[in-house]
Amino acid sequence: MTIAAEAVRPKPARPLRPVTQPPKRGLGKFRLADLGSGLIVLYCLVPFYWMIVSALRKPSDQFATTLFPAPISFENLKAAFSARNGFGRALLNSLIVAGTTTVITLAIGITTAYVIARVQFRFKNVVLAVIIATSMFPGVTLLIPLLKLFVGLDWINTYQALIVPSLSFGLPLTVFNLTAFFKQLPAELEDAAQVDGCSQWQAFRSVILPLAMPGIFTSGIITFIAAWNEFIIALSLTNEKSMRTAPVITALFTGQYKFDQPFGTQMAAGVAVTVPLVIGALLFQRRIVDGLTAGALK
Protein backbone atom coordinates (compact mmCIF):
# COMPACT_ATOMS: atom_id res chain seq x y z
CA MET A 1 0.00 0.00 0.00
CA THR A 2 1.35 3.35 -0.97
CA ILE A 3 1.91 6.20 1.37
CA ALA A 4 -0.83 8.26 -0.34
CA ALA A 5 -3.37 5.47 0.10
CA GLU A 6 -2.39 5.12 3.71
CA ALA A 7 -2.93 8.88 4.23
CA VAL A 8 -6.46 8.88 2.75
CA ARG A 9 -7.62 5.77 4.57
CA PRO A 10 -10.35 6.82 7.03
CA LYS A 11 -9.34 6.39 10.60
CA PRO A 12 -11.66 4.50 12.89
CA ALA A 13 -13.92 6.77 14.89
CA ARG A 14 -13.15 7.09 18.57
CA PRO A 15 -15.82 5.79 20.87
CA LEU A 16 -17.92 8.55 22.41
CA ARG A 17 -17.30 9.12 26.09
CA PRO A 18 -20.31 9.33 28.29
CA VAL A 19 -21.00 12.87 29.40
CA THR A 20 -20.62 13.08 33.12
CA GLN A 21 -23.20 15.23 34.85
CA PRO A 22 -22.53 17.03 38.10
CA PRO A 23 -23.95 15.27 41.10
CA LYS A 24 -27.39 16.45 41.99
CA ARG A 25 -28.12 17.85 45.36
CA GLY A 26 -30.14 15.77 47.66
CA LEU A 27 -33.81 16.61 47.83
CA GLY A 28 -33.62 16.98 51.58
CA LYS A 29 -30.82 19.55 51.41
CA PHE A 30 -32.63 21.49 48.68
CA ARG A 31 -35.82 21.72 50.70
CA LEU A 32 -33.93 22.65 53.85
CA ALA A 33 -32.16 25.55 52.08
CA ASP A 34 -35.42 26.78 50.57
CA LEU A 35 -37.13 26.52 53.92
CA GLY A 36 -34.43 28.57 55.62
CA SER A 37 -34.55 31.27 52.93
CA GLY A 38 -38.33 31.37 53.10
CA LEU A 39 -38.29 31.80 56.87
CA ILE A 40 -35.83 34.70 56.61
CA VAL A 41 -37.93 36.43 53.94
CA LEU A 42 -41.07 35.85 55.99
CA TYR A 43 -39.42 37.25 59.11
CA CYS A 44 -38.46 40.42 57.24
CA LEU A 45 -41.72 40.98 55.37
CA VAL A 46 -44.36 40.17 58.00
CA PRO A 47 -43.84 43.39 60.05
CA PHE A 48 -43.99 45.50 56.87
CA TYR A 49 -47.12 43.68 55.72
CA TRP A 50 -48.77 44.19 59.10
CA MET A 51 -47.91 47.90 58.95
CA ILE A 52 -49.62 48.21 55.56
CA VAL A 53 -52.68 46.28 56.78
CA SER A 54 -52.95 48.45 59.89
CA ALA A 55 -52.62 51.61 57.80
CA LEU A 56 -55.51 50.53 55.56
CA ARG A 57 -57.92 49.73 58.40
CA LYS A 58 -60.62 52.09 59.58
CA PRO A 59 -59.57 54.06 62.68
CA SER A 60 -62.25 52.27 64.66
CA ASP A 61 -60.70 48.90 63.70
CA GLN A 62 -57.09 49.73 64.59
CA PHE A 63 -56.92 46.95 67.21
CA ALA A 64 -58.36 44.28 64.89
CA THR A 65 -56.26 41.15 64.29
CA THR A 66 -57.58 40.02 60.90
CA LEU A 67 -55.03 39.37 58.17
CA PHE A 68 -56.79 41.66 55.68
CA PRO A 69 -58.39 45.07 56.20
CA ALA A 70 -62.13 44.87 55.66
CA PRO A 71 -63.20 47.32 54.46
CA ILE A 72 -60.15 49.10 53.06
CA SER A 73 -60.00 52.69 54.29
CA PHE A 74 -57.64 55.59 53.55
CA GLU A 75 -58.65 57.64 56.56
CA ASN A 76 -55.38 56.95 58.35
CA LEU A 77 -53.37 58.24 55.38
CA LYS A 78 -55.48 61.39 55.25
CA ALA A 79 -55.00 61.90 58.98
CA ALA A 80 -51.23 61.41 58.69
CA PHE A 81 -50.94 64.17 56.08
CA SER A 82 -53.30 66.55 57.83
CA ALA A 83 -51.99 70.05 58.54
CA ARG A 84 -52.38 69.44 62.27
CA ASN A 85 -49.66 66.76 62.27
CA GLY A 86 -47.16 68.56 60.02
CA PHE A 87 -46.08 65.29 58.41
CA GLY A 88 -45.58 66.80 54.94
CA ARG A 89 -43.08 69.35 56.27
CA ALA A 90 -41.35 66.58 58.21
CA LEU A 91 -40.88 64.57 55.01
CA LEU A 92 -39.32 67.63 53.37
CA ASN A 93 -36.99 68.08 56.36
CA SER A 94 -35.91 64.43 56.13
CA LEU A 95 -35.25 64.80 52.41
CA ILE A 96 -33.15 67.95 52.95
CA VAL A 97 -31.14 66.43 55.79
CA ALA A 98 -30.58 63.04 54.12
CA GLY A 99 -29.82 64.53 50.69
CA THR A 100 -27.39 67.15 52.02
CA THR A 101 -25.68 64.59 54.23
CA THR A 102 -25.23 62.22 51.30
CA VAL A 103 -23.77 64.87 48.99
CA ILE A 104 -21.30 66.19 51.59
CA THR A 105 -20.36 62.68 52.70
CA LEU A 106 -19.55 61.60 49.14
CA ALA A 107 -17.65 64.80 48.35
CA ILE A 108 -15.39 64.39 51.39
CA GLY A 109 -15.33 60.59 51.49
CA ILE A 110 -14.28 60.12 47.85
CA THR A 111 -11.26 62.40 48.09
CA THR A 112 -10.24 61.07 51.51
CA ALA A 113 -10.52 57.44 50.43
CA TYR A 114 -8.57 58.12 47.23
CA VAL A 115 -5.71 59.76 49.14
CA ILE A 116 -5.55 56.90 51.64
CA ALA A 117 -5.61 54.32 48.86
CA ARG A 118 -3.00 55.95 46.59
CA VAL A 119 -0.67 58.12 48.67
CA GLN A 120 1.99 56.46 50.80
CA PHE A 121 2.57 58.20 54.13
CA ARG A 122 3.47 57.21 57.65
CA PHE A 123 0.78 55.91 59.97
CA LYS A 124 -1.69 55.47 57.10
CA ASN A 125 -3.20 52.37 58.65
CA VAL A 126 -3.48 54.16 61.99
CA VAL A 127 -5.38 57.02 60.36
CA LEU A 128 -7.77 54.57 58.69
CA ALA A 129 -8.26 52.70 61.98
CA VAL A 130 -9.08 55.95 63.80
CA ILE A 131 -11.60 56.90 61.11
CA ILE A 132 -13.31 53.53 61.44
CA ALA A 133 -13.24 53.68 65.25
CA THR A 134 -15.19 56.95 65.26
CA SER A 135 -18.23 55.13 63.89
CA MET A 136 -18.26 52.64 66.78
CA PHE A 137 -19.57 55.08 69.39
CA PRO A 138 -23.33 54.73 69.98
CA GLY A 139 -25.33 57.84 69.23
CA VAL A 140 -26.72 57.92 72.77
CA THR A 141 -23.25 58.44 74.27
CA LEU A 142 -22.70 61.51 72.06
CA LEU A 143 -26.07 63.04 72.77
CA ILE A 144 -25.17 65.17 75.81
CA PRO A 145 -21.90 66.56 74.33
CA LEU A 146 -23.67 67.39 71.07
CA LEU A 147 -26.55 69.05 72.87
CA LYS A 148 -24.19 71.19 74.97
CA LEU A 149 -22.10 72.12 71.93
CA PHE A 150 -25.05 73.04 69.73
CA VAL A 151 -26.72 75.07 72.47
CA GLY A 152 -23.55 77.13 72.72
CA LEU A 153 -23.50 77.59 68.94
CA ASP A 154 -27.22 78.41 68.86
CA TRP A 155 -27.79 75.53 66.45
CA ILE A 156 -30.89 74.04 68.08
CA ASN A 157 -33.75 73.70 65.59
CA THR A 158 -31.45 74.16 62.59
CA TYR A 159 -30.59 71.93 59.66
CA GLN A 160 -26.87 71.97 60.46
CA ALA A 161 -27.59 70.45 63.87
CA LEU A 162 -29.17 67.48 62.08
CA ILE A 163 -26.65 67.21 59.24
CA VAL A 164 -23.34 67.42 61.13
CA PRO A 165 -24.01 64.42 63.45
CA SER A 166 -25.16 62.38 60.45
CA LEU A 167 -21.88 63.22 58.71
CA SER A 168 -19.94 61.87 61.66
CA PHE A 169 -21.62 58.49 61.21
CA GLY A 170 -21.76 58.38 57.42
CA LEU A 171 -18.21 59.50 56.63
CA PRO A 172 -16.30 56.64 58.34
CA LEU A 173 -18.31 53.99 56.54
CA THR A 174 -17.95 55.76 53.20
CA VAL A 175 -14.18 56.22 53.61
CA PHE A 176 -13.73 52.58 54.62
CA ASN A 177 -15.78 51.21 51.71
CA LEU A 178 -14.25 53.45 49.06
CA THR A 179 -10.68 52.96 50.30
CA ALA A 180 -11.02 49.23 49.76
CA PHE A 181 -12.65 49.88 46.38
CA PHE A 182 -9.95 52.29 45.15
CA LYS A 183 -7.23 49.82 46.17
CA GLN A 184 -8.74 47.29 43.76
CA LEU A 185 -8.31 49.66 40.80
CA PRO A 186 -4.80 49.33 39.26
CA ALA A 187 -2.67 52.48 39.44
CA GLU A 188 -1.46 51.76 35.89
CA LEU A 189 -4.73 53.20 34.58
CA GLU A 190 -3.85 56.63 35.96
CA ASP A 191 -0.25 56.31 34.74
CA ALA A 192 -1.46 55.54 31.22
CA ALA A 193 -3.83 58.52 31.29
CA GLN A 194 -1.03 60.84 32.43
CA VAL A 195 1.21 59.53 29.66
CA ASP A 196 -1.53 60.53 27.21
CA GLY A 197 -1.41 64.08 28.54
CA CYS A 198 -3.91 64.10 31.43
CA SER A 199 -3.10 65.74 34.71
CA GLN A 200 -3.51 63.74 37.90
CA TRP A 201 -6.89 65.40 38.55
CA GLN A 202 -8.06 64.72 34.99
CA ALA A 203 -6.96 61.09 35.27
CA PHE A 204 -8.86 60.75 38.54
CA ARG A 205 -11.98 62.44 37.18
CA SER A 206 -12.05 60.79 33.74
CA VAL A 207 -10.69 57.30 34.49
CA ILE A 208 -10.99 56.39 38.16
CA LEU A 209 -14.36 57.96 39.04
CA PRO A 210 -16.32 56.17 36.27
CA LEU A 211 -14.83 52.83 37.33
CA ALA A 212 -15.60 53.54 40.99
CA MET A 213 -19.24 54.51 40.41
CA PRO A 214 -20.68 51.20 41.72
CA GLY A 215 -18.91 51.67 45.07
CA ILE A 216 -19.77 55.39 45.20
CA PHE A 217 -23.41 54.71 44.42
CA THR A 218 -23.65 52.02 47.08
CA SER A 219 -22.03 54.24 49.72
CA GLY A 220 -24.44 57.04 48.83
CA ILE A 221 -27.49 54.79 49.17
CA ILE A 222 -26.35 53.47 52.56
CA THR A 223 -25.62 57.00 53.82
CA PHE A 224 -28.98 58.31 52.62
CA ILE A 225 -30.92 55.51 54.30
CA ALA A 226 -29.02 55.95 57.57
CA ALA A 227 -29.64 59.73 57.59
CA TRP A 228 -33.28 59.27 56.60
CA ASN A 229 -33.94 56.86 59.48
CA GLU A 230 -31.99 58.74 62.17
CA PHE A 231 -34.19 59.30 65.23
CA ILE A 232 -32.55 59.88 68.62
CA ILE A 233 -30.39 62.89 67.67
CA ALA A 234 -33.15 64.52 65.63
CA LEU A 235 -35.51 64.08 68.56
CA SER A 236 -33.09 65.68 71.04
CA LEU A 237 -31.91 68.62 68.92
CA THR A 238 -35.31 69.85 67.75
CA ASN A 239 -38.26 71.09 69.76
CA GLU A 240 -40.17 72.91 67.02
CA LYS A 241 -42.60 70.97 64.86
CA SER A 242 -41.46 72.76 61.71
CA MET A 243 -37.90 71.38 62.09
CA ARG A 244 -38.64 67.78 63.06
CA THR A 245 -37.94 64.94 60.66
CA ALA A 246 -40.38 62.27 59.55
CA PRO A 247 -39.37 59.54 62.06
CA VAL A 248 -39.61 62.02 64.95
CA ILE A 249 -42.92 63.54 63.93
CA THR A 250 -44.38 60.05 63.44
CA ALA A 251 -43.46 59.02 66.99
CA LEU A 252 -45.02 62.21 68.37
CA PHE A 253 -48.39 61.91 66.66
CA THR A 254 -51.28 62.60 69.03
CA GLY A 255 -54.82 61.36 68.81
CA GLN A 256 -58.10 63.16 69.17
CA TYR A 257 -57.79 63.01 72.95
CA LYS A 258 -54.76 63.48 75.20
CA PHE A 259 -54.20 59.81 75.99
CA ASP A 260 -55.40 58.48 72.65
CA GLN A 261 -52.63 56.66 70.78
CA PRO A 262 -53.22 56.88 66.98
CA PHE A 263 -51.70 53.56 65.95
CA GLY A 264 -53.40 53.60 62.56
CA THR A 265 -52.10 57.08 61.73
CA GLN A 266 -48.60 56.15 62.84
CA MET A 267 -48.70 53.02 60.69
CA ALA A 268 -49.83 55.08 57.69
CA ALA A 269 -46.96 57.52 58.27
CA GLY A 270 -44.56 54.58 58.59
CA VAL A 271 -45.71 53.28 55.22
CA ALA A 272 -45.19 56.71 53.65
CA VAL A 273 -41.66 56.86 55.08
CA THR A 274 -40.69 53.28 54.19
CA VAL A 275 -42.19 52.80 50.73
CA PRO A 276 -39.85 55.30 48.95
CA LEU A 277 -36.83 53.51 50.41
CA VAL A 278 -38.18 50.11 49.34
CA ILE A 279 -38.89 51.36 45.81
CA GLY A 280 -35.44 52.93 45.57
CA ALA A 281 -33.76 49.73 46.76
CA LEU A 282 -35.68 47.67 44.20
CA LEU A 283 -34.92 50.07 41.33
CA PHE A 284 -31.20 50.26 42.11
CA GLN A 285 -30.80 46.70 43.37
CA ARG A 286 -28.33 45.74 40.65
CA ARG A 287 -26.14 48.79 41.25
CA ILE A 288 -26.13 48.16 45.00
CA VAL A 289 -25.14 44.52 44.57
CA ASP A 290 -22.44 45.44 42.05
CA GLY A 291 -21.01 47.99 44.45
CA LEU A 292 -20.96 45.58 47.36
CA THR A 293 -19.37 42.73 45.40
CA ALA A 294 -17.10 44.60 42.95
CA GLY A 295 -14.14 44.63 45.32
CA ALA A 296 -14.43 40.89 45.89
CA LEU A 297 -14.62 40.07 42.17
CA LYS A 298 -11.62 42.07 41.00
Side-chain angles (χ1 to χ4, degrees), residues 24-40:
K24 296 182 179 180
R25 292 186 300 171
L27 187 60
K29 293 183 179 179
F30 179 78
R31 288 181 177 177
L32 183 60
D34 286 352
L35 179 62
S37 301
L39 289 177
I40 293 174

Side-chain angles (χ1 to χ4, degrees), residues 18-194:
V19 179
T20 58
Q21 297 181 354
K24 296 182 179 180
R25 292 186 300 171
L27 187 60
K29 293 183 179 179
F30 179 78
R31 288 181 177 177
L32 183 60
D34 286 352
L35 179 62
S37 301
L39 289 177
I40 293 174
V41 172
L42 190 66
Y43 177 79
C44 295
L45 292 183
V46 164
F48 183 65
Y49 171 77
W50 193 253
M51 182 170 62
I52 295 176
V53 170
S54 301
L56 296 178
R57 297 188 194 276
K58 296 179 63 176
S60 57
D61 298 335
Q62 65 179 358
F63 294 108
T65 57
T66 56
L67 295 179
F68 302 98
I72 295 178
S73 174
F74 296 97
E75 295 182 24
N76 290 322
L77 286 172
K78 293 180 181 178
F81 283 94
S82 65
R84 177 176 62 89
N85 289 325
F87 184 65
R89 176 56 188 266
L91 283 176
L92 178 61
N93 292 337
S94 292
L95 183 61
I96 292 174
V97 172
T100 306
T101 300
T102 302
V103 172
I104 298 176
T105 297
L106 291 180
I108 300 175
I110 290 172
T111 54
T112 304
Y114 180 75
V115 170
I116 294 176
R118 286 290 189 261
V119 179
Q120 298 296 329
F121 56 91
R122 295 181 62 185
F123 307 113
K124 183 172 70 172
N125 293 332
V126 176
V127 172
L128 185 59
V130 171
I131 292 175
I132 298 172
T134 57
S135 64
M136 298 181 182
F137 295 97
V140 178
T141 61
L142 303 177
L143 196 56
I144 301 302
L146 286 175
L147 185 60
K148 185 176 181 180
L149 175 63
F150 291 162
V151 167
L153 295 175
D154 197 19
W155 277 13
I156 302 299
N157 294 314
T158 60
Y159 285 122
Q160 57 265 31
L162 303 176
I163 294 172
V164 171
S166 297
L167 287 175
S168 66
F169 299 119
L171 270 174
L173 179 62
T174 300
V175 171
F176 177 74
N177 288 338
L178 293 183
T179 298
F181 198 89
F182 283 135
K183 286 182 178 179
Q184 301 296 330
L185 300 178
E188 289 78 6
L189 296 174
E190 299 157 88
D191 296 338
Q194 293 181 22

